[in-house]
Amino acid sequence: MLTVAALYHFTRFPDPAALKPGLLDVCTANGVRGSLLLAPEGINGTIAGTRQGIDAALAAVRALPGCAGLEWKESFAETMPFGRMKVKLKREIVTMGQPDVDPLARVGHYVAPRDWNALIRDPDTVVIDTRNDYEVAIGTFQGAVDPGTKAFGEFPAWWQANRERFAGKRIAMFCTGGIRCEKSTNYLLGQGLNQVYHLKGGILKYLEEVREAESLWQGQCFVFDDRVSVGHGLQPGGLKICGACRRPVTAEGQADPDYEDGVCCPACVGEYTSADRERFRERHRQMLLAAKRGTQHLGGGGAL
């Protein structure tokens, strides 16, 4: 059983590029795979490996400037959910495109998973899902507002267009692991709101700590690795990723006549040309051949 660690930490990195080689070396030397993003505002990512390998990688992250207080969330996978290890340099570790947003200055009130149900059941609370539309489509909290955004950078414009709907209400927001809410709560505080809350540790921590019998979560939680989704207890959810558009596909979607493994799904059946489809089929064929040989095909990934 492999350990999967999801992490983020906001801190100041004057020279993120200088940190990349050391992180990549430690992860590679310990058989850890996944993706880490470095930016002037901090670090974000998900990695997987043996217990020993993950411990070594986390120790390297905690040794970075300002990262001694790093928190992370762990789950498990029977097979390696990543093809390789990547450390990338970015402008932001989660892209919102708002230069005045600074989670290190202030954020909303953290709410522990055990207290979340009481907060979102309150009729004076508006619950907002800050994730993308394809994530919301496979699972969300009861009664949550879906902004219908295709990217996190669309959230500020959505809020400006809808803020009057929520006048006088307490705002509670959530996302997969908590990082998007660090920025979205800071943004709302900057807009003059003061009753702004967010789920500490995100959906992943809630699904880990709250028993299914008491849960207000409905469906699956999308994760950015080959497990595709997890449910209560962070158990893999059985979804697949479309080989073309990279959207999650449910069991019902996989049974749809418009679904072709590695090529298309009901959501994107009209989005690509015949030439695109032939290219996707060839890529999928090469991936299957690589799997039979016991090697990793690195050309996976869709059109997005």
Side-chain angles (χ1 to χ4, degrees):
M1 189 68 73
L2 299 172
T3 300
V4 182
L7 62 96
Y8 73 86
H9 192 74
F10 285 97
T11 188
R12 306 292 187 203
F13 288 153
D15 187 5
L19 307 176
K20 177 179 175 178
L23 276 180
L24 186 58
D25 287 348
V26 169
C27 291
T28 302
N30 286 277
V32 172
R33 298 181 187 177
S35 179
L36 292 172
L37 306 181
L38 290 169
E41 65 182 8
I43 186 169
N44 176 30
T46 305
I47 52 177
T50 63
R51 177 76 269 170
Q52 182 178 4
I54 290 297
D55 287 345
L58 292 175
V61 175
R62 292 198 302 273
L64 299 178
C67 290
L70 175 77
E71 296 184 8
W72 65 92
K73 290 163 287 296
E74 292 188 357
S75 55
F76 302 93
E78 293 185 0
T79 59
M80 173 56 74
F82 297 105
R84 51 185 164 174
M85 184 66 219
K86 297 177 287 186
V87 180
K88 297 182 178 180
L89 301 176
K90 297 285 187 178
R91 292 182 179 179
E92 300 177 70
I93 56 175
V94 59
T95 303
M96 194 180 200
Q98 298 290 315
D100 294 332
V101 166
D102 182 8
L104 289 172
R106 57 176 179 166
V107 295
H109 302 287
Y110 291 110
V111 181
R114 65 179 179 276
D115 301 321
W116 183 249
N117 286 358
L119 174 66
I120 68 174
R121 281 188 172 124
D122 189 320
D124 289 326
T125 299
V126 171
V127 189
I128 300 176
D129 194 330
T130 65
R131 300 172 303 149
N132 300 334
D133 53 3
Y134 64 88
E135 299 172 78
V136 180
I138 64 169
T140 192
F141 281 105
Q142 292 179 18
V145 175
D146 174 13
T149 52
K150 296 186 181 302
F152 184 51
E154 298 176 5
F155 180 82
W158 174 84
W159 172 260
Q160 294 301 332
N162 290 272
R163 61 181 302 162
E164 296 304 320
R165 294 169 51 193
F166 312 124
K169 294 287 188 178
R170 183 188 300 115
I171 304 297
M173 295 189 284
F174 64 92
C175 58
T176 306
I179 187 171
R180 282 175 275 196
C181 290
E182 302 278 354
K183 286 196 169 183
S184 60
T185 58
N186 177 270
Y187 175 77
L188 291 194
L189 291 170
Q191 297 297 305
L193 282 74
N194 51 37
Q195 292 197 77
V196 182
Y197 300 80
H198 53 132
L199 177 59
K200 186 172 177 59
I203 302 163
L204 295 179
K205 200 66 176 175
Y206 182 93
L207 293 177
E208 177 186 349
E209 295 188 359
V210 177
R211 295 187 303 175
E212 186 170 2
E214 302 169 354
S215 175
L216 298 181
W217 176 260
Q218 298 175 321
Q220 297 288 319
C221 176
F222 182 83
V223 291
F224 296 89
D225 59 61
D226 285 351
R227 294 172 299 169
V228 185
S229 71
V230 295
H232 288 91
L234 301 181
Q235 295 299 310
L239 275 66
K240 297 185 73 171
I241 282 288
C242 174
C245 69
R246 309 304 293 166
R247 296 181 179 101
V249 187
T250 63
E252 291 79 7
Q254 294 169 43
D256 192 285
D258 286 330
Y259 177 77
E260 183 178 347
D261 194 21
V263 179
C264 64
C265 71
C268 73
V269 66
E271 294 181 0
Y272 300 104
T273 66
S274 297
D276 289 332
R277 298 298 179 202
E278 287 304 316
R279 180 165 52 87
F280 298 157
R281 287 188 183 96
E282 177 58 23
R283 180 188 60 199
H284 187 59
R285 188 179 74 85
Q286 294 298 328
M287 291 175 67
L288 294 177
L289 290 173
K292 287 183 179 180
R293 294 192 300 266
T295 60
Q296 179 70 39
H297 183 273
L298 299 182
L304 297 184

